[in-house]
């Protein structure tokens, strides 16, 4: 374990919350339930939807010689977005909050778990919190509504100003790393969303003081989840005096993990960089759902030795 006084302060920081961000006919959240390809009227289920921006400072980490995270770039200012769907009447809420690492593999926020479990969650009275998880998604949000999302940033200090990335047919790589931005801020961003939901601010965001908070991710987001669990569960639990999340759900991400920062490992175009996994002892439930299709899904990772060494078992 780590000396408590050596733990980064970002592990216990509660981000500043902005919102709910008003939704109008001209400006509304990306992926709003009522505006999806198959729209859902949340009012019919006595549910509501809010978008918030959260701001704070996050570190970019690298791995030390003992395989533990160490701070590479400290206190990077960020502003990110979260999308909340919850019972309109807090008294109808179950107390369970599902925090979803929204998938970036299409280059924009994809709610893989919401589209599979929305009817169950609403029948149970559960709350959903989707978290934008990567700079390329921030660029997509700015392309969707430049004014609404103008303050979002995962940029490193001193980065040159740039226009948001625009997809070009035939040249599009949804896994590409954006110069000047830092994917590795995600670990503290996720931690601080969890800290927010455990704080006195939680009712202003999700309407309740949660009884249980669970972190989940699918596919690329499951790889992010595996990485957060392996590198940060222990440190964050120590910093908070208890596990920040009450359990984890990883779907179709096998046991793969990614580097803590972008640019630290070779990356095949169209794929994200990965590193071998490691066993982690957990004191909360951890469910991993995988399938034979993962072998094809992650086939391009064969050169990394992950397939041969059983990381997709």
């Amino acid at each position: 374990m780590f000396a408590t006084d050596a733990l980064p302060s970002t592990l216990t920081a509660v981000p500043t919350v902005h919102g709910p961000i008003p939704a109008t006919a001209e400006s509304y959240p990306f992926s709003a339930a009522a505006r999806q390809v198959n729209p859902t009227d949340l009012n019919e289920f006595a549910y509501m939807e809010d978008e918030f921006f959260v701001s704070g400072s996050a570190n970019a980490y690298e791995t030390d010689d003992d395989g533990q995270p160490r701070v590479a770039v400290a206190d990077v200012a960020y502003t990110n977005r979260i999308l909340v769907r919850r019972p309109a009447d807090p008294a109808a809420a179950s107390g369970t909050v599902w925090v979803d690492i929204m998938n970036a593999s299409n280059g924009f926020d994809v709610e893989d778990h919401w589209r599979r479990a929305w009817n169950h969650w609403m029948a149970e009275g559960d709350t959903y919190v989707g978290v934008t998880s990567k700079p390329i998604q921030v660029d997509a949000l700015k392309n969707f509504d430049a004014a609404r999302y103008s303050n979002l940033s995962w940029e490193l200090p001193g980065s040159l100003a740039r226009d948001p990335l625009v997809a070009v047919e035939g040249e599009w790589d949804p896994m590409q790393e954006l110069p000047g931005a830092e994917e590795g801020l995600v670990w503290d961003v996720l931690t601080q969303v969890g800290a927010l939901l455990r704080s006195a601010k939680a009712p202003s965001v999700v309407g309740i003081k949660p009884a249980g908070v669970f972190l989940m991710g699918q596919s690329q987001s499951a790889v992010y989840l595996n990485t957060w669990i392996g590198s940060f569960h222990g440190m964050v639990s120590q910093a908070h005096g208890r596990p920040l999340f009450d359990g984890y759900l990883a779907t179709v991400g096998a046991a793969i993990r990614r580097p803590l920062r972008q640019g630290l490992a070779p990356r095949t175009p169209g794929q994200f960089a990965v590193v071998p996994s490691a066993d982690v002892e957990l004191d909360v439930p951890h469910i991993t759902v995988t399938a034979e299709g993962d072998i094809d899904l992650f086939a391009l990772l064969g050169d990394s030795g992950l397939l041969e060494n059983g990381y997709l078992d």
Side-chain angles (χ1 to χ4, degrees):
M1 298 297 284
F2 301 87
T4 302
D5 60 2
L7 292 172
S9 60
T10 55
L11 300 183
T12 54
V14 176
T16 300
V17 179
H18 313 271
I21 308 302
T24 68
E26 293 75 31
S27 178
Y28 45 84
F30 178 81
S31 196
R35 295 178 177 272
Q36 294 177 345
V37 175
N38 296 307
T40 301
D41 184 355
L42 296 179
N43 292 322
E44 293 184 3
F45 300 88
Y47 262 64
M48 60 185 291
E49 178 181 76
D50 283 322
E51 183 179 55
F52 298 88
F53 299 157
V54 291
S55 298
S57 295
N59 298 327
Y61 296 89
E62 60 189 5
T63 304
D64 66 18
D65 293 338
D66 296 321
Q68 301 296 336
R70 67 182 175 196
V71 176
V73 183
D75 298 325
V76 178
Y78 75 87
T79 299
N80 197 44
R81 82 128 179 183
I82 60 175
L83 189 62
V84 177
R85 300 190 182 114
R86 64 177 180 88
D89 179 4
S94 67
T96 298
V97 177
W98 299 94
V99 179
D100 192 16
I101 305 169
M102 290 196 283
N103 195 306
S105 295
N106 290 330
F108 51 83
D109 284 340
V110 176
E111 304 161 61
D112 281 323
H113 285 111
W114 173 264
R115 62 193 178 98
R116 289 175 169 83
W118 63 271
N119 52 351
H120 171 74
W121 285 334
M122 289 199 287
E124 294 293 317
D126 293 353
T127 295
Y128 172 87
V129 179
V131 183
T132 297
S133 60
K134 198 170 183 176
I136 199 169
Q137 292 162 293
V138 171
D139 276 25
L141 291 170
K142 291 185 176 184
N143 287 329
F144 174 73
D145 189 330
R148 185 178 185 90
Y149 296 113
S150 62
N151 291 329
L152 299 192
S153 175
W154 286 45
E155 304 295 310
L156 290 170
S159 297
L160 297 176
R162 60 177 179 82
D163 293 328
L165 178 69
V166 177
V168 177
E169 187 175 359
E171 301 177 8
W172 174 236
D173 177 0
M175 309 296 179
Q176 62 190 289
E177 299 168 344
L178 303 182
E182 178 51 69
E183 296 178 2
L185 300 184
V186 66
W187 319 120
D188 278 349
V189 169
L190 294 174
T191 298
Q192 291 175 24
V193 169
L196 170 63
L197 296 173
R198 296 296 190 185
S199 76
K201 294 181 181 180
S204 66
V205 176
V206 293
I208 57 170
K209 181 179 180 180
V213 181
F214 300 88
L215 184 61
M216 58 185 179
Q218 177 171 303
S219 192
Q220 180 179 180
S221 292
V223 175
Y224 276 56
L225 175 60
N226 295 338
T227 307
W228 191 94
I229 292 171
S231 294
F232 294 94
H233 172 87
M235 284 201 308
V236 172
S237 296
Q238 185 178 354
H240 286 263
R242 55 152 292 174
L244 187 59
F245 297 103
D246 296 294
Y248 304 108
L249 172 62
T251 56
V252 294
I256 297 171
R257 293 162 64 176
R258 61 151 293 158
L260 296 183
R261 287 192 66 186
Q262 64 187 54
L264 293 184
R267 189 184 68 85
T268 302
Q271 291 285 326
F272 47 88
V274 297
V275 297
S277 186
D279 292 334
V280 179
E281 292 187 8
L282 293 177
D283 46 0
V284 298
H286 178 197
I287 298 174
T288 297
V289 180
T290 192
E292 291 180 359
D294 286 5
I295 300 299
D296 289 331
L297 179 64
F298 294 111
L300 292 179
L301 304 182
D303 291 342
S304 67
L306 295 173
L307 292 172
E308 293 85 347
N309 291 314
Y311 293 111
L312 290 179
D313 285 352

